[in-house]
Amino acid sequence: MKLYLDPGHGGSDPGAQGNGINEKSLNLDIALRIRNVLTHDYKGVHVRMSRSDDRTKSLRERTNEANAWGADFYLSIHCNSFNGVARGYEDFIHSSLTDASKTAAFQKTIHHEIMKVNQLSDRGRKKRNFHVLRETAMPALLTENGFIDNTHDARLMADPEWRQSVARGHVNGLAKAFKLKLTTSSKALYKVIAGGFHSNDNAKKRVKQLGSHDIDVFITETTISGKPWYRIQAGAFSSRKNAEAQLKAVRGAGIDDAYITAKKR
């Protein structure tokens, strides 16, 4: 499978800006994480990136390169901005495509996997006449991973673990869509995260809530944008299947913002 991976913007084009974050940097960080997971964990995957550093590259250069290479899929990584209030995740295929198209099927699969892990509200699967969707000779998808000018979404974006989870969501979607096979050495540790809080008291309330459902959890502390952040962990597993079973139990306890992170060991 040949994936053309396109971190949006770059160089003289910063993309959206907000809450101290430049979109071009965020897009590149997520895309590099996607490439690293795919090339280390899956067989027969070839990834070419429109940029792997902070450089200016036109939309025409990107699509021409993907077409000349003969990519099987074009994936463009972006983040949104609007009015500071809008928030959530959405993705796009070209407006000329029907819901019965192969590209729409890929979109549905990838969208579902990303929504499992990104802790963002679901703005849906959409269609637009964007250049990278119109001028590509292969199926193409553009993902918008939150609103950079929204404080809720930007707080997540600032967290490297969140960016890793989002990258993993993209990879999981691609793996299902293209039936990719894991390498024998792709062992990962899957952690179930049952929410995060700026207040340690609120974190303790979440621990108590899950404890009432006989789910063992503990609090881990990190710093995001200079502020303490208390994350609730509900176990770590070598099997993703076991992690997903635990995630189901946590969500069954009323924790809708729970998700799985994966880290190669």
Side-chain angles (χ1 to χ4, degrees):
M1 182 266 211
K2 296 169 70 174
L3 172 69
Y4 191 87
L5 183 57
D6 175 29
H9 307 285
S12 61
D13 176 13
Q17 296 175 293
N19 292 292
I21 305 171
N22 285 331
E23 182 192 356
K24 66 175 183 178
S25 300
L26 200 70
N27 296 342
L28 180 59
D29 183 89
I30 293 172
L32 288 170
R33 292 170 186 272
I34 292 171
R35 183 187 68 178
N36 290 344
V37 175
L38 280 172
T39 56
H40 284 98
D41 290 3
Y42 289 90
K43 300 176 182 178
V45 181
H46 305 279
V47 179
R48 179 170 291 187
M49 297 183 67
S50 62
R51 63 184 184 94
S52 57
D53 55 19
D54 185 20
R55 68 178 63 193
T56 303
K57 196 165 189 176
S58 71
L59 296 177
R60 184 176 297 276
E61 286 177 305
R62 298 172 197 235
T63 53
N64 284 351
E65 189 173 80
N67 291 339
W69 185 45
D72 298 308
F73 193 69
Y74 189 108
L75 178 61
S76 191
I77 307 299
H78 285 260
C79 299
N80 241 324
S81 70
F82 184 51
N83 59 3
V85 177
R87 55 189 280 191
Y89 170 84
E90 57 194 4
D91 47 43
F92 299 88
I93 60 174
H94 192 254
S95 52
S96 67
L97 296 167
T98 70
D99 292 342
S101 66
K102 180 189 291 186
T103 305
F106 289 154
Q107 179 188 28
K108 184 177 181 180
T109 298
I110 295 169
H111 182 102
H112 180 70
E113 291 300 319
I114 293 171
M115 285 308 306
K116 284 183 179 180
V117 299
N118 68 5
Q119 305 175 72
L120 297 172
S121 56
D122 190 349
R123 295 173 61 86
R125 293 176 278 124
K126 301 180 179 181
K127 300 176 184 179
R128 291 291 188 276
N129 187 30
F130 297 147
H131 175 96
V132 298
L133 304 178
R134 182 184 65 250
E135 300 299 327
T136 40
M138 70 292 300
L141 178 72
L142 186 149
T143 66
E144 293 276 9
N145 296 277
F147 282 74
I148 208 164
D149 58 344
N150 178 273
T151 54
H152 170 272
D153 289 6
R155 187 198 74 223
L156 294 172
M157 293 171 176
D159 183 357
E161 285 201 25
W162 179 85
R163 299 195 298 271
Q164 185 67 27
S165 294
V166 167
R168 174 61 70 171
H170 283 74
V171 170
N172 291 344
L174 289 166
K176 286 194 174 183
F178 289 91
K179 298 179 173 56
L180 303 180
K181 302 297 184 183
L182 285 166
T183 62
T184 55
S185 61
S186 60
K187 294 182 179 180
L189 183 67
Y190 301 97
K191 298 179 181 179
V192 178
I193 307 301
F197 304 89
H198 285 304
S199 165
N200 192 29
D201 287 340
N202 289 337
K204 289 177 179 177
K205 289 178 183 178
R206 177 63 58 88
V207 170
K208 185 176 180 180
Q209 178 184 353
L210 288 166
S212 69
H213 289 81
D214 295 323
I215 298 174
D216 292 328
V217 297
F218 60 91
I219 299 172
T220 63
E221 183 178 353
T222 187
T223 301
I224 300 175
S225 300
K227 296 181 180 180
W229 184 248
Y230 302 95
R231 184 178 283 111
I232 314 303
Q233 185 172 321
F237 306 86
S238 58
S239 162
R240 185 171 184 93
K241 183 177 180 181
N242 291 340
E244 288 177 347
Q246 178 75 326
L247 179 65
K248 184 177 179 180
V250 170
R251 288 179 173 168
I255 311 301
D256 294 332
D257 58 346
Y259 61 100
I260 294 172
T261 66
K263 186 176 183 180
K264 191 172 181 181
R265 294 184 289 183

